[in-house]
Each structure stands twice: as C-alpha cells, then as structure tokens.
C-alpha cells in the first residue's frame, strides 16, 4: 500500500492484521515546515511516527518514496540516507517525472548519477547491491546501515521492459503504469458479476497494452546529465510536432503536396446526469425542449465550423456528418457519437471531436437550470480511416451492463474513529 502516512498510527495495526505486509510512505522532505508548506497541512510528526510504528511492527523494510527536485529538496538527500543508518527503512529516490499538470521542467530534475555522486561525497563506500530481475529500484547501501537506499530511474535509465508492477487505486481502478493515465475499473467489472475468467481477460488485455517505455520520453536522454540549452529542451518528443515550425512558433500545416483521398473519423463523448435529469430528458420534460435532438443538431453545426473554432485546422469540405445522442437510463448519462467523412488532403478527426464536444456542451446548457451536477467525460477519437498515417481503431473492452447504484453493506471502519 502506498500512503501519505498521516493516519498510519491509527490504522496500521488493523491493516497488518488484515494481511497488509508492505507499505510505501510518500515523503518528500524531512523538514516539518516544508512539509506543511507543500501539503498545506500539519502532520509531519504523525508521518514520522507512522514510519517508526511500521518498523516496530516488523514491516521489512518500510519503504519511503522521495521525489527529488533541484532547488526544492536535493539538499536533503544525505539527510534521507542518514535515516537508513538508524532505521530499517528503504529510502527510494525517484527521478522527477513529467505528469499531467505538474509543470515539469528539465532543470528541476536530479538524475540517478548526480544523486549517487552527492551521496558518495559523504559516504565514499556507498555501494550498489544485487537487484532482482523485476526490480524497479536500483538498490544501494551505506556499509553498516540498518536499511538501504534505492533509485527509481524512470527518466535516465528505463526499466519499463522488466517492470511487473500493477496498481489498484482506492476506487478499484487497475493501473498498469504509474506514469500513464489509462485505468480499467475492476470494481465495475466485479459489480457486473464478472467471473474469474472475465477478470483475468480484462487484466490481461490491460497489461498487453502497456507501453515498452514512458510514451512521452525520448530514447536518448544523455542531455539530462549536462545543463541543457533552451534549444535542446524545446520539444519533449522524438517526433517533430506538425503544427510547430523550426523556431517553435505555431504554424498551419501545408497540405498542398498531399493527395486527395477518402477519409472518415468517429468520436464519442459521455455526459453524466443526475437521476432527475435523466427522468426529465426521457419524458421530454425540460422547458428548453428536446435535449437529444438539439444536441444532435448542435454537434452537426459544430463540426461544420471546426476551422473557425480551432485556429490551425483547415477549412474542409465535408461529405457527411452524422451525430447521434442516446439516453442511457441505467447509466444515467447521454452517449454522443459522431461520424464525419470527406474527400480531402487532411483528416477529419478534429471535426468528429468538435461535433461530440459541442453536442455535450449543448446538453449541459439545456440542463444546467435543473442541476449543475453534470459531468462531461470520455471525449475521444474512436477511429479513423485514410491518410498517410493509416487507419486507427480504439481498442475497447466491453463489459456486460451493471448496476451502478451504491452497494449497501454494513460499514467497516479500520482503526479508531
């Protein structure tokens, strides 16, 4: 279990009795003031007491995960290593990785080699240990220390090819890669009555789609070990972006040299509703009118005006636009689908996506007077044909329908209330 450690002192004994035998505590600083500043709460003392309790209860070892960032906590690396001299803990330093929304900057990253060099200045005999075939952390040790140190080299030395880790989130979603944002709901599958074979197939399909390395990372990361110039970090990709020129400025792609071909694209979106809204839409009881029909028309109009809404899209003559809006009463949502086709020099993916996006926004606009508890999600391209990049079809795992209402069982509380 990975935890921020704030309630370990209350819950760890009960969790251990329930079968928990490994804990990872996320802790990026050994300064109480800095902890409060970055987490916006007090509690550093409780986290440290939770770590000590884990050691006392015999968790072997207690793992401490620390993301190292230059100018933030790289000055605490040796302080974390000193913990391993006194306690049976495995301090694992994680290279700063780019996640969605974390404002990743290359200048903030401290590489594995830089961390080892810094530690060896304090402990010259700091040495590497033998690693298992599927270990994601490179193990090192200070001679005579009770614990050890690990390095998770997600950026500088890929280990994705040998990683056999799977994670289940608190709400029952399976993640095959911590870096990725794709999740498969095992909870929903189990509530649907899936058999063990169904679950095995579901997990197998998710694992087979796992990338061989972090998708956004370039193959050659030698530039991470020297101070890069601004030019060397302009693009974080092995492919040049088609809508960016050599100076990093936005540009419209020149399609003059491309041949005309038949192209289609399909997309979908989901609008989650309340029970009341679902009932009103089914009965066509909203004052603004027939939600499904209006959303369908809005999607068609949106597809036609894509080039006016998306700055770098070409103005394409479309052959056909089909938008469907269906009410899923069991799931309390509206499912929107679009099919757009043309004979042209560029694809119609954006037109298909714009169609379902505008249709979804129209549903929101027509329903917001009743409730703002509306969620637009799952806007995605589901397929395309034609063009130089070839055909594409999004892989889907179809599960049988299930009851999404809460399961009413006796509440179980772990630890003190």
């Amino acid at each position: 279990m990975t935890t921020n450690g704030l309630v370990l002192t209350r819950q760890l004994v009960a969790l251990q009795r329930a079968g928990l035998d490994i804990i990872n505590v996320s802790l990026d600083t050994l300064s109480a003031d800095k902890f409060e500043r970055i987490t916006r709460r007090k509690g550093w003392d409780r986290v440290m007491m939770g770590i000590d309790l884990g050691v006392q209860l015999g968790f072997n070892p207690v793992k401490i995960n620390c993301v190292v960032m230059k100018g933030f906590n790289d000055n605490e690396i040796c302080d974390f290593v000193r913990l391993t001299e006194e306690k049976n803990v495995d301090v694992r330093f994680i290279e700063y990785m780019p996640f969605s929304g974390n404002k990743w900057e290359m200048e903030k990253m401290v590489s594995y080699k830089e961390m080892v060099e810094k530690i060896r200045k304090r402990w010259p005999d700091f040495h590497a240990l033998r690693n298992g075939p599927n270990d994601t952390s490179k193990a090192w040790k200070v001679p005579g220390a009770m614990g050890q140190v690990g390095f998770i080299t997600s950026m500088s030395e890929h280990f994705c090819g040998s990683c056999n880790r799977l994670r289940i989130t608190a709400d029952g979603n399976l993640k095959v890669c911590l870096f990725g944002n794709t999740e498969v709901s095992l909870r929903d599958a189990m509530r649907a009555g899936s058999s063990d074979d169904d679950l095995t197939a579901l997990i197998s399909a998710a694992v087979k789609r796992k990338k061989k390395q972090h998708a956004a990372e370039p193959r050659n990361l030698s530039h991470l070990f020297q101070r890069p110039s601004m030019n060397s970090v302009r693009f974080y990709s092995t492919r040049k972006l088609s809508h960016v020129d050599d100076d990093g400025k936005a540009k419209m792609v020149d399609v003059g040299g491309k041949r005309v071909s038949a192209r289609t694209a399909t997309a979908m979106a989901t609008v989650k509703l309340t029970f009341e809204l679902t009932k009103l839409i089914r009965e066509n009881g909203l004052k603004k009118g027939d939600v499904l029909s209006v959303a369908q028309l809005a999607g068609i109009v949106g597809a036609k005006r894509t080039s006016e809404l998306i700055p770098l899209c070409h103005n394409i003559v479309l052959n056909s636009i089909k938008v469907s809006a269906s009410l899923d009463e069991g799931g309390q949502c509206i499912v929107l689908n679009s099919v757009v086709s043309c004979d042209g020099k560029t694809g119609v993916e954006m037109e298909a996506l714009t169609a379902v996006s505008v249709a979804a926004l129209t549903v929101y606009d027509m329903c917001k007077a009743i409730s703002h508890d509306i969620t637009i999600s799952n806007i995605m391209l589901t397929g395309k044909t034609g063009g130089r990049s070839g055909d594409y079809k999004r892989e889907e795992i179809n599960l049988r329908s299930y009851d999404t209402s809460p399961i009413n069982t006796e509440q179980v509380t772990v630890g003190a209330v």
Side-chain angles (χ1 to χ4, degrees):
M1 180 183 72
T2 299
T3 171
N4 61 17
L6 285 169
V7 296
L8 280 181
T9 53
R10 290 197 291 111
Q11 297 188 346
L12 192 53
V13 172
L15 288 169
Q16 186 182 46
R17 287 173 178 167
L20 182 70
D21 57 5
I22 299 176
I23 54 171
N24 298 340
V25 180
S26 298
L27 182 66
D28 294 330
T29 180
L30 293 174
S31 165
D33 291 339
K34 188 184 293 184
F35 178 91
E36 184 176 346
R37 190 164 64 250
I38 63 176
T39 63
R40 299 183 178 89
R41 68 176 74 184
K42 296 181 183 295
W44 180 83
D45 292 334
R46 280 186 286 150
V47 176
M48 296 306 296
M49 286 190 290
I51 291 172
D52 287 340
L53 178 60
V55 173
Q56 294 169 21
L57 291 174
F59 286 86
N60 186 24
V62 174
K63 297 180 180 180
I64 301 173
N65 293 343
C66 174
V67 178
V68 180
M69 289 181 282
K70 197 168 294 182
F72 171 69
N73 62 352
D74 57 325
N75 63 330
E76 297 186 61
I77 289 176
C78 288
D79 294 331
F80 273 100
V81 175
R82 193 172 294 111
L83 278 181
T84 69
E85 291 187 303
E86 307 162 356
K87 306 176 190 292
N88 183 24
V89 294
D90 182 357
V91 173
R92 305 193 299 176
F93 295 116
I94 304 173
E95 290 179 339
Y96 184 41
M97 293 184 290
F99 284 90
S100 175
N102 74 344
K103 299 180 181 179
W104 186 86
E105 296 176 13
M106 189 174 295
E107 287 80 2
K108 292 182 180 179
M109 189 193 128
V110 182
S111 70
Y112 160 48
K113 291 184 178 179
E114 289 176 305
M115 288 187 267
V116 170
E117 289 173 2
K118 180 171 288 194
I119 296 169
R120 276 186 162 165
K121 289 179 181 178
R122 171 65 178 81
W123 292 277
D125 295 330
F126 185 61
H127 62 277
L129 303 176
R130 184 183 297 274
N131 297 302
N134 299 113
D135 287 348
T136 57
S137 175
K138 292 177 173 59
W140 288 66
K141 191 176 183 70
V142 172
M146 295 182 64
Q148 66 182 46
V149 177
F151 299 91
I152 299 178
T153 59
S154 308
M155 297 295 292
S156 62
E157 296 184 20
H158 296 303
F159 51 79
C160 300
S162 61
C163 175
N164 62 355
R165 269 48 171 186
L166 300 177
R167 292 173 175 83
I168 297 179
T169 64
D171 55 355
N173 286 339
L174 174 72
K175 289 178 71 76
V176 298
C177 177
L178 180 63
F179 183 86
N181 57 8
T182 302
E183 299 179 358
V184 176
S185 178
L186 299 182
R187 177 199 63 189
D188 292 351
M190 294 173 71
R191 286 183 176 180
S194 296
S195 65
D196 288 348
D197 289 341
D198 293 334
L199 292 173
T200 299
L202 188 65
I203 295 169
S204 175
V207 171
K208 288 175 181 177
R209 290 197 299 273
K210 184 176 180 179
K211 306 294 183 183
K212 67 177 181 179
Q213 67 178 47
H214 296 330
E217 296 177 19
R219 293 179 184 275
N220 181 10
L221 287 170
S222 60
H223 57 281
L224 293 176
F225 306 108
Q226 57 189 8
R227 187 167 182 82
S229 66
M230 287 304 294
N231 287 336
S232 68
V233 298
R234 182 177 295 127
F235 305 116
Y236 190 68
S237 174
T238 55
R239 294 184 178 182
K240 182 178 178 181
L241 299 175
S242 60
H243 287 79
V244 179
D245 63 19
D246 293 334
D247 295 322
K249 305 294 185 181
K251 70 167 185 178
M252 195 170 188
V253 176
D254 185 355
V255 297
K258 293 185 176 182
R259 64 183 182 86
V260 174
S261 63
R263 301 165 186 258
T264 63
T266 58
M268 72 164 292
T270 304
V271 185
K272 187 70 176 176
L273 307 167
T274 63
F275 174 80
E276 181 186 9
L277 280 171
T278 303
K279 182 174 182 293
L280 287 171
I281 292 172
R282 183 191 67 211
E283 299 172 352
N284 196 14
L286 286 170
K287 292 182 179 180
K288 288 191 175 183
D290 185 347
V291 172
L292 300 181
S293 297
V294 175
Q296 181 182 14
L297 292 173
I300 293 171
V301 173
K304 292 179 179 179
R305 306 192 69 168
T306 299
S307 63
E308 299 175 34
L309 300 171
I310 312 297
L312 301 180
C313 281
H314 293 80
N315 187 2
I316 304 172
V317 177
L318 303 176
N319 294 343
S320 172
I321 306 169
K322 297 178 181 178
V323 178
S324 65
S326 58
L327 180 64
D328 179 354
E329 294 185 45
Q332 292 183 21
C333 65
I334 291 177
V335 179
L336 302 160
N337 287 280
S338 67
V339 183
V340 181
S341 63
C342 79
D343 293 319
K345 297 182 177 182
T346 187
V348 286
E349 294 97 317
M350 293 308 302
E351 283 71 15
L353 287 165
T354 301
V356 293
S357 299
V358 171
L361 290 170
T362 301
V363 172
Y364 185 95
D365 180 61
M366 296 188 71
C367 297
K368 68 180 188 295
I370 304 300
S371 173
H372 289 94
D373 189 12
I374 304 168
T375 303
I376 297 173
S377 62
N378 298 329
I379 299 176
M380 66 182 79
L381 184 75
T382 54
K384 68 172 284 289
T385 61
R388 188 165 54 188
S389 62
D391 297 349
Y392 163 80
K393 183 171 179 59
R394 188 179 187 90
E395 292 184 29
E396 292 186 20
I397 300 175
N398 295 314
L399 297 175
R400 61 179 70 95
S401 60
Y402 58 92
D403 181 6
T404 58
S405 60
I407 298 176
N408 294 318
T409 60
E410 182 180 355
Q411 185 177 2
V412 177
T413 302
V414 178
V417 178

